[in-house]
Amino acid sequence: MTGRKQPATPAVLADRREIADGTIALTVTGEGQALPPWAPGAHIDLVLPSGRVRQYSLYGDPADSASYRVAVLREPDGRGGSAEIHDLPVGAHIGIRGPRNNFALIDAPGYLFVAGGIGITPFLPMIRQLHGADSAWRLVYRGRSLPTMAFGNALLRQYPDRVTLLPADTHPRPDLDDLLRRTPAATAVYCCGPEDLLGAMESAVIRQPHVTLHTERFAASKRGDDRTNTAFEAELRRSGVVVPVPADRTLLAAIQAVDPTVDLSCADGVCGSCATRVLAGVPDHRDDVLQAGERDRVDIIYPCVSRARGDRLVLDV
């Protein structure tokens, strides 16, 4: 089933503070109402006054239904969302959609977290949960320099035997092959950060298959850039309509022409809001939501970027 467009929950920016060079932490509260529950690994959409929508991982306490906490890195070369957020005053009215969780903790005998820069954020509630349960875990955190590494010193003080900080101005790039080689079998490896780190980790896990990798991106990878778009048809079973999807049009655009209530947030295949159930046909997955072990699934598609392997898909729309 395709998600219906979720209305934004009214919210207020209750607090903002600088926590590292270029990074601020925001606390947002609902306007007189409890916020939806969440679990470690979840993210929300912030709907900004300009209409921009950006996704950020939640790092606060899941038991706190009154507020959400996110951390935002200012990206001078970005599309303007982070700059707008950094300029918002306390008391500003924004919207929230979600939470959604494409990065949930799985059951495993142990965990290795590898963070790059602001990619540390989703790991904070995971670490608190695992540490409270006396689970085995370890964190390797890479950043440009210690002053830019949000939460770095606090993590090192709290968990000195489990946290390794590797600022790039004083430490070489970590040898991921060696790191994984020394990681016990069946460990769940979680990685979040810039694309070069994620790509390197995906390559390293191929060479060290005794662990399982889970990644999260907030910027689209180049997955699918080397594939040729071909035309196909999409049967929207519940709507009773067959729509053509030409090579120069996305599947989501074709669906929205029939059902404009379909949810859309990032449009880049990273947030998961447009998830659609597949009833027949084989998807050509080009998203960054599905994990490596899920990319042969035929029951779901993210139509903002993904297409069909063949002439036709039948969708639960």
Side-chain angles (χ1 to χ4, degrees):
M1 178 177 178
T2 302
R4 296 295 174 233
K5 195 177 293 293
Q6 182 184 12
T9 299
V12 176
L13 177 56
D15 185 62
R16 68 184 303 282
R17 61 190 63 191
E18 185 170 351
I19 56 171
D21 287 355
T23 299
I24 58 173
L26 306 181
T27 301
V28 296
T29 59
E31 295 188 348
Q33 59 183 312
L35 296 170
W38 62 281
H43 69 271
I44 56 171
D45 296 343
L46 292 187
V47 184
L48 305 179
S50 67
R52 294 184 178 101
V53 180
R54 297 293 184 268
Q55 293 81 42
Y56 295 100
S57 294
L58 293 167
Y59 78 84
D61 181 358
D64 178 9
S65 62
S67 66
Y68 288 152
R69 293 186 179 183
V70 299
V72 181
L73 170 69
R74 181 186 283 270
E75 301 182 76
D77 299 326
R79 296 176 295 168
S82 67
E84 181 178 356
I85 292 171
H86 272 247
D87 292 338
L88 287 177
V90 171
H93 292 268
I94 58 176
I96 294 171
R97 288 206 293 257
R100 292 185 296 272
N101 199 337
N102 306 315
F103 201 44
L105 277 174
I106 66 165
D107 289 332
Y111 301 83
L112 171 64
F113 300 108
V114 180
I118 198 61
I120 186 63
T121 312
F123 298 146
L124 301 178
M126 295 183 181
I127 286 170
R128 284 196 296 270
Q129 177 177 309
L130 293 173
H131 203 73
D134 201 26
S135 300
W137 65 271
R138 181 184 174 194
L139 168 68
V140 176
Y141 181 8
R142 177 76 165 172
R144 295 197 310 274
S145 64
L146 274 177
T148 68
M149 295 171 69
F151 310 106
N153 286 327
L155 285 164
L156 190 61
R157 285 195 302 270
Q158 190 168 4
Y159 312 110
D161 298 329
R162 304 205 190 194
V163 171
T164 301
L165 303 184
L166 298 176
D169 60 346
T170 57
H171 291 72
R173 181 175 299 178
D175 184 335
L176 298 181
D177 284 293
D178 181 63
L179 177 64
L180 295 181
R181 196 177 300 116
R182 293 184 288 106
T183 297
T187 295
V189 179
Y190 282 75
C191 185
C192 186
E195 182 58 34
D196 59 347
L197 173 63
L198 291 164
M201 181 60 81
E202 288 172 339
S203 297
V205 165
I206 293 173
R207 297 186 291 270
Q208 307 290 337
H210 64 286
V211 297
T212 59
L213 177 63
H214 307 265
T215 61
E216 181 163 66
R217 289 173 165 87
F218 285 100
S221 70
K222 297 183 183 296
R223 196 188 312 275
D225 284 3
D226 58 345
R227 304 179 201 174
T228 301
N229 287 354
T230 58
F232 62 97
E233 290 182 338
E235 177 186 340
L236 312 184
R237 178 62 58 83
R238 282 186 286 149
S239 303
V241 177
V242 176
V243 295
V245 185
D248 60 351
R249 193 181 195 195
T250 68
L251 173 57
L252 182 60
I255 296 172
Q256 286 183 316
V258 176
D259 184 357
T261 67
V262 172
D263 204 357
L264 170 64
S265 180
C266 71
D268 291 327
V270 298
C271 77
S273 65
C274 65
T276 301
R277 193 156 68 98
V278 178
L279 303 177
V282 179
D284 177 9
H285 295 299
R286 304 185 185 186
D287 63 273
D288 290 305
V289 178
L290 294 173
Q291 300 298 324
E294 301 177 304
R295 305 206 68 81
D296 58 352
R297 287 179 61 176
V298 295
D299 63 325
I300 194 169
I301 191 169
Y302 296 92
C304 62
V305 292
S306 297
R307 302 184 68 82
R309 294 186 184 275
D311 298 329
R312 191 180 182 94
L313 288 176
V314 181
L315 306 176
D316 184 22
V317 180

